[in-house]
C-alpha cells in the first residue's frame, strides 16, 4: 500500500494518452485531467474527506504541545477523515495507534516512498503511540510479475529502509503479509469478516475491477483493511480490541479505507481515521508521482551523490526561463518547478524556503542555484539514510518484524 | 466440502419449484430435472470424468490385493478422474496421499456425511497411505449465518465424528482452515498462487457466482484447492512436494477440483485424481440427498435407537404397494425405495442384499420387514459410532489436528 503501488509506472502514459474529464486517483492509477496535476481540492469533495485546515493544524499543535510538521503547514498532508475525533480522544487521555504500509515492489525505495513514513514517524513521536506497518508482499505477488519468494524478500529489504528512518523498535511492529497472515488467526479472521460483508459489485465500483480480474485481487482489499482493527494484532496490543486507529497514507490509498470505514461499524469496530498526502512529483513534472520502475523519474535511496546531482540537473523539470535573460525578465514558476516542489518536502526552514520562492519567482535566483541547494539537501538526506541503513543488522530487522507486545499501556 | 455443503437444505425446494432442463449439481445446489433423481451417467459426460467400471474395480483389487469395497461394486463411487494413473504409480511403488474434507455446518453429522469418510478409510487401509482432512469452517462462516467461533467449534465436533470412524492417528491429519491457514505460510502461499491464476469470470462460470456474491466466497475456491498440493503441508509430508493426491468426495464437489486441475500444471503441480460418489438420499426420496437442517430428512449420528426406528418407519419413502394386497400383487420398487437404497450403502453382505432385492421386488418381502432389517443395521452402526465417539478425549482430537510428520516414508 501507500505511494508506489501497482501500475503506477503506467501513469505517465495514461496521462498523455487519455483525455480525462476528471482526475483518476486509485491505488493502481493516478492520472490528471490537467497539466497542473491532480486537483486536490476537487478530490476532497469527490472522496468526501475533509481539508487539513488551519484550525486542525492549531489543534494538533495544542494537543501535542509541538510545532506542526512542515508537511502539515505546506499542504503535503492536505486531507483527513475523523482527525478531530482522534484529537478528542487524546484530550481524554485515550490512546490510539498508527497504521501505514507499503507494497514492496522494488528493492530500492525512492524519495516519494518516504513521505508517509517521515510523517508517520513525526506522528508517532508527537503523540507517543505505537505503529504497525504492513508490507503487502502478497499484493505485489498478485499484481506484478514477481514470485512469492521475491516479493517476500523485497519486504525485508524495504523494512530496512523504513527502519533506517529511526522508528522506535519498542513501539513499532513491521510485518509482511506473507509471514504474518500465516502466524495470526486473529488477522485471518478479520480478513474473513470483511470478505463476508463486501460484494464483488462493491469492489468493482471502488477499485475498478472487472470480470477478468483474478480472484486474489478481488479479495485483497480485505487484507489491507485488517490492520485498521486492533483485534487483528492480539499480541501487539495485549488483546485490546477497538483501539482507535489513524492511518497516514497517500490519497490514492483512500479507496481501501473508504471500504474499511463502510464495513467497520457492521463488524462492531471503530472506523479508522485518516490523513492523506499529495503525491510526490516525478522529476519530469508535478502532474504525476515518482515511479520505481523508471530510474530517471526518481531519486532512489540507493543513489550516489553523483547520481543525485546528475538526475536533478538533467531531469528535474524547471519552471525557470529558457535563457538567463528570459528568467531574469519573467521570473521562475514555482508551481511547476520540480526542484522547488522537492524543497517544499525536504527543506525544513520556512524562512529560507520563502526566500527562495520570492527570489526565484522574481527571477533573481537562477534555476542552477535552486538546483544546487536542492542537490545538497538531498545528498545529505540520502547519504545519512544510506549510512543508517548500512548499520542495520538482520537481527534488528527481525526484532521489528517479530509479533510481540509493544511498549504502550492501554 | 463434501456432502452437506451450503444451500443444500434448499435442494428439495429447488426440485419442486424449478423446471430444469438438466440436473444442477454444484457445491451449493443439487437439483434434478427428473423424479428419479440425478442422472449420474449424464453427469459423467457433462463433467468430463470417467466411469468407475469393472476394469478399474478389478485393477484396484489386483493392486491392493483386497476385495473391492461394496461402495465400488454398487456404484456409490461411480465416477473418477486419473485413477489409472494413481494405480500405475502404486504399481511402481510410488506413494500418493488422500485428501477429503467436510464443511462443518452443524454439530451433528448424519449418515450421508459418513459416506466419503467410510470409503476414504477403506482407501487409506487398502493402499496404506496418509490422509489430510480439511474442515472448511471459514467456508461455513462465509455462507451461513454462523460466527467464526461457532464455525470453528463445529469443526472440532465434526472432527470427533470423523475420528470415531477409526482413522489411524499416525497417518491422518485433520485441520480446520481457521486454525491451519494461520499456522502455515506454505498453505497460504498455495492459496495465493491459485488466486493469481483464476479470474472472476472463471469462478462465475464454474460456481455460478454473481456480482452480489461477497468477495470471500469468490476467493474461497483457492482454499479448497490448496490441500490438493502436498507442498501445502511441509510438516505433514516432510517437505516433499508433488506427491500425487487422490480426492474421494461427493460429485457436487467436482467443480472445485476441475478448477484445481486446470490450475495445477500452470503452478508446476500434479493434477489431483478423484473418485466421486453419488448423493446419499434423504428419507423423503432418492431425488436428493440428506440435509442437516431438516431433522426429519436424515438419520443423525446422535439419534437414539428409538429415533432411528421412528424416522425409518415414519419418513423413509417406500417403493412398496399402498396395501399388503397391492404389494403382494405388484411387488416393491427398489429403485425408489429409500430403505432399500440405504441397505445398499450399509448392508455389506452381497447375498443378503440380493435376496432382499429379489423378494421385495416380487412382493414376497413386505416394506415393514425391509424397514425392520434396515433399522437394526442402522441402530448397530449409529450405536457403535456413538460409543466410539463418547470415548474420544479432547487430547486425541488435538493429536489428530496437530501439524506433524505423518508416519509414511516418501
Amino acid at each position: 500500500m501507500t505511494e508506489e503501488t501497482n501500475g503506477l509506472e503506467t501513469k505517465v502514459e495514461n496521462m498523455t494518452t487519455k483525455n480525462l474529464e476528471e482526475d483518476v486517483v486509485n491505488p493502481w492509477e493516478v492520472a490528471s485531467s490537467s497539466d497542473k496535476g491532480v486537483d486536490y481540492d476537487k478530490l476532497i469533495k469527490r472522496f468526501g474527506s475533509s481539508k487539513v485546515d488551519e484550525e486542525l493544524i492549531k489543534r494538533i499543535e495544542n494537543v501535542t504541545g509541538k510545532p506542526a510538521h512542515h508537511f502539515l503547514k505546506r499542504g503535503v498532508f492536505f486531507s483527513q477523515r475523523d482527525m478531530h475525533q482522534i484529537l478528542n480522544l487524546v484530550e481524554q487521555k485515550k490512546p490510539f495507534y498508527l497504521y501505514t504500509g507499503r507494497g514492496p515492489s522494488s528493492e530500492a525505495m525512492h524519495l516519494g516512498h518516504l513521505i508517509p513514513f517521515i510523517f508517520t514517524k513525526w506522528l508517532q513521536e508527537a503523540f507517543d503511540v505505537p505503529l504497525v506497518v504492513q508490507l503487502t508482499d502478497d499484493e505485489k505477488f498478485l499484481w506484478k510479475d514477481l514470485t512469492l519468494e521475491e516479493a517476500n524478500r523485497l519486504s525485508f529489504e524495504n523494512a530496512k529502509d523504513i527502519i533506517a528512518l529511526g522508528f522506535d523498535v519498542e513501539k513499532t511492529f513491521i510485518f509482511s503479509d506473507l509471514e504474518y497472515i500465516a502466524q495470526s488467526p486473529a488477522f485471518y479472521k478479520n480478513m474473513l469478516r470483511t470478505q463476508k460483508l463486501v460484494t464483488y459489485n462493491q469492489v468493482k465500483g471502488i477499485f475498478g475491477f472487472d470480470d477478468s480480474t483474478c480472484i486474489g485481487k478481488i479479495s485483497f482489499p480485505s487484507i489491507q483493511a485488517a490492520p485498521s482493527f486492533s483485534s487483528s494484532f492480539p499480541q501487539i496490543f495485549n488483546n485490546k480490541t477497538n483501539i482507535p486507529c489513524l492511518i497516514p497514507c497517500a490519497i490514492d490509498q483512500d479507496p481501501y479505507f473508504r471500504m474499511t470505514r463502510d464495513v467497520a461499524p457492521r463488524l462492531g469496530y471503530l472506523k479508522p481515521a485518516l490523513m492523506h498526502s499529495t503525491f510526490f512529483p516525478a522529476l519530469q513534472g508535478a502532474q504525476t508521482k515518482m515511479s520505481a520502475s523508471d530510474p530517471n523519474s526518481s531519486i532512489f535511496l540507493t543513489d550516489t551523490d553523483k547520481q543525485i546531482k546528475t538526475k536533478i540537473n538533467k531531469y528535474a523539470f524547471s519552471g525557470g526561463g529558457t535563457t538567463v535573460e528570459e528568467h531574469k525578465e519573467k521570473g521562475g514558476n514555482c508551481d511547476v518547478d520540480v526542484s522547488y516542489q522537492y524543497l517544499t518536502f525536504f527543506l525544513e526552514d520556512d524562512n529560507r524556503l520563502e526566500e527562495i520562492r520570492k527570489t526565484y519567482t522574481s527571477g533573481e535566483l537562477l534555476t542552477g542555484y535552486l538546483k544546487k541547494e536542492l542537490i545538497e539537501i538531498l545528498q545529505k538526506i540520502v547519504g545519512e539514510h544510506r549510512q543508517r541503513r548500512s548499520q542495520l543488522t538482520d537481527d534488528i530487522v527481525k526484532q521489528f518484524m517479530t509479533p510481540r507486545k509493544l511498549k504502550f499501556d492501554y
Side-chain angles (χ1 to χ4, degrees), chain A residues 156-157 160 163 391-401:
Chain A
F156 197 81
E157 289 306 313
K160 283 188 188 166
I163 294 167
Q391 287 167 352
L392 287 177
T393 61
D394 284 0
D395 273 355
I396 293 175
V397 181
K398 275 178 199 153
Q399 242 182 297
F400 272 93
M401 296 185 81

Side-chain angles (χ1 to χ4, degrees), chain A residues 281-315:
Chain A
L283 285 167
Q284 283 72 14
Q287 314 95 311
T288 187
K289 55 182 198 179
M290 284 185 160
S291 161
S293 58
D294 176 2
N296 292 328
S297 76
S298 327
I299 304 289
F300 288 92
L301 297 174
T302 46
D303 281 349
T304 61
D305 285 359
K306 202 183 155 200
Q307 283 173 312
I308 292 171
K309 188 177 173 184
T310 309
K311 283 188 185 180
I312 296 292
N313 280 332
K314 195 164 170 189
Y315 300 111

Side-chain angles (χ1 to χ4, degrees), chain A residues 87-120:
Chain A
L87 296 174
N88 291 345
L89 288 167
V90 174
E91 284 176 343
Q92 297 160 33
K93 311 277 176 217
K94 286 180 188 157
F96 70 96
Y97 73 99
L98 293 163
Y99 155 38
T100 191
R102 155 153 182 81
S105 61
S106 62
E107 182 127 9
M109 284 170 66
H110 59 56
L111 286 179
H113 295 142
L114 287 188
I115 305 306
F117 289 103
I118 289 170
F119 189 61
T120 299

Side-chain angles (χ1 to χ4, degrees), chain A residues 20-86:
Chain A
L20 295 167
E21 293 206 356
E22 61 179 12
D23 298 339
V24 172
V25 176
N26 67 48
W28 306 283
E29 190 180 3
V30 174
S32 173
S33 58
S34 132
D35 280 354
K36 290 180 183 161
V38 172
D39 185 328
Y40 291 109
D41 283 332
K42 273 195 189 159
L43 217 52
I44 285 176
K45 278 187 198 147
R46 257 176 58 207
F47 282 12
S49 61
S50 304
K51 205 175 163 113
V52 170
D53 55 16
E54 278 306 313
E55 187 203 339
L56 179 67
I57 297 173
K58 278 250 165 63
R59 246 198 112 188
I60 291 174
E61 289 186 323
N62 286 338
V63 167
T64 61
K66 293 190 174 130
H69 191 274
H70 64 277
F71 284 176
L72 283 172
K73 291 185 289 185
R74 296 178 194 167
V76 173
F77 277 81
F78 71 104
S79 160
Q80 54 96 6
R81 297 180 188 275
D82 286 348
M83 262 311 284
H84 282 288
Q85 286 192 32
I86 290 286

Side-chain angles (χ1 to χ4, degrees), chain A residues 144-168:
Chain A
K144 299 268 180 179
D145 187 19
L146 278 180
T147 63
L148 283 164
E149 291 66 28
E150 179 63 2
N152 190 226
R153 192 185 68 78
L154 294 176
S155 284
F156 197 81
E157 289 306 313
N158 285 191
K160 283 188 188 166
D161 276 315
I162 296 164
I163 294 167
L165 285 170
F167 288 100
D168 180 353

